[in-house]
Amino acid sequence: MTNKNTKKDALNKSPFFISYFITDPGEFGNTNESLEKNLSKSLSKHQVNMLCFRDKESKDIRSLAKTALNVSKKYNIPKVLINNNLELALELGFDGIHLTSTQFDKIKIAKLNNLYTIISCHSEDEIRLAKKLGSDAVTYSPIFFKENKGSPKGINNLKNMVEKYQDKNFSIIALGAIVSDVQVMQIQTTKASGFASIRYFRNGLFYL
């Protein structure tokens, strides 16, 4: 097997339990300086094996995406994704992409370009469709209650989705108001592939 194929295979395999850090400009900054500083603080404190640069507000997305990618590589994050932007994912060399729940039509394109592909899901029908279309993983949310995010799915529902759809080629990652280790341990009991959060990775940090 060639080195290229080996790397490709590695990118399409998930660790035993995924610790998925999703960024947000309101929490980690919308300038290169603040983003680099705050990501570095988080990554030096938390164990992270997957990171997604997510910014739907800032104007200079390309420059900020490069900063997020560079900082992640500095901390040896195995998989670095970008939210919804296929063009930048390919141009800048991200390992994968996190598609929104309106981008099911982009799963095939992402996979044809060898991107590790996650899509946001909020129902069983969406999980079933994501698996059928070849997505590597989904985030399933909201698991816990968060204001203005709809009724929480809860741990029992998450466990049911894991038992019905998750396998060695398809990961279900819990998302939604996950801010504590207690919640992470609850998620682990369901045998979900991992958890994703913004605020969990911000907690305990001091910003200047």
Side-chain angles (χ1 to χ4, degrees), residues 68-87:
L69 185 60
N70 290 338
V71 173
S72 298
K73 294 302 183 183
K74 177 182 176 182
Y75 283 87
N76 299 311
I77 306 304
K79 285 192 182 74
V80 189
L81 288 67
I82 189 170
N83 181 256
N84 83 27
N85 196 319
L86 270 168
E87 182 180 344

Side-chain angles (χ1 to χ4, degrees), residues 65-188:
K66 287 179 68 175
T67 295
L69 185 60
N70 290 338
V71 173
S72 298
K73 294 302 183 183
K74 177 182 176 182
Y75 283 87
N76 299 311
I77 306 304
K79 285 192 182 74
V80 189
L81 288 67
I82 189 170
N83 181 256
N84 83 27
N85 196 319
L86 270 168
E87 182 180 344
L88 280 184
L90 297 172
E91 177 190 343
L92 299 180
F94 279 84
D95 301 313
I97 188 162
H98 188 144
L99 300 170
T100 71
S101 58
T102 63
Q103 292 182 301
F104 279 87
D105 59 319
K106 300 291 193 268
I107 292 175
K108 183 177 181 180
I109 300 170
K111 293 306 300 173
L112 286 173
N113 283 282
N114 297 323
L115 292 173
Y116 182 82
T117 305
I118 297 177
I119 189 163
S120 297
C121 290
H122 309 289
S123 69
E124 181 173 356
D125 286 344
E126 289 182 341
I127 293 174
R128 186 186 302 113
L129 180 58
K131 185 171 185 176
K132 179 180 178 180
L133 294 176
S135 182
D136 295 293
V138 300
T139 52
Y140 183 49
S141 66
I143 301 304
F144 299 106
F145 174 78
K146 185 178 180 182
E147 193 172 354
N148 300 321
K149 291 295 184 179
S151 299
K153 308 299 182 185
I155 291 296
N156 289 335
N157 180 270
L158 172 62
K159 183 178 180 180
N160 185 37
M161 294 301 101
V162 168
E163 290 173 350
K164 290 181 72 171
Y165 298 103
Q166 184 170 277
D167 57 37
K168 65 179 181 179
N169 298 312
F170 184 72
S171 299
I172 296 179
I173 302 168
L175 172 67
I178 301 167
V179 296
S180 72
D181 290 332
V182 171
Q183 290 171 313
V184 173
M185 287 188 286
Q186 287 180 293
I187 291 162
Q188 287 178 313

Side-chain angles (χ1 to χ4, degrees), residues 50-69:
M50 195 154 68
L51 181 143
C52 179
F53 170 69
R54 176 182 178 274
D55 189 329
K56 300 179 180 180
E57 305 169 5
S58 304
K59 294 182 179 180
D60 193 8
I61 295 296
R62 186 180 186 279
S63 178
L64 291 168
K66 287 179 68 175
T67 295
L69 185 60

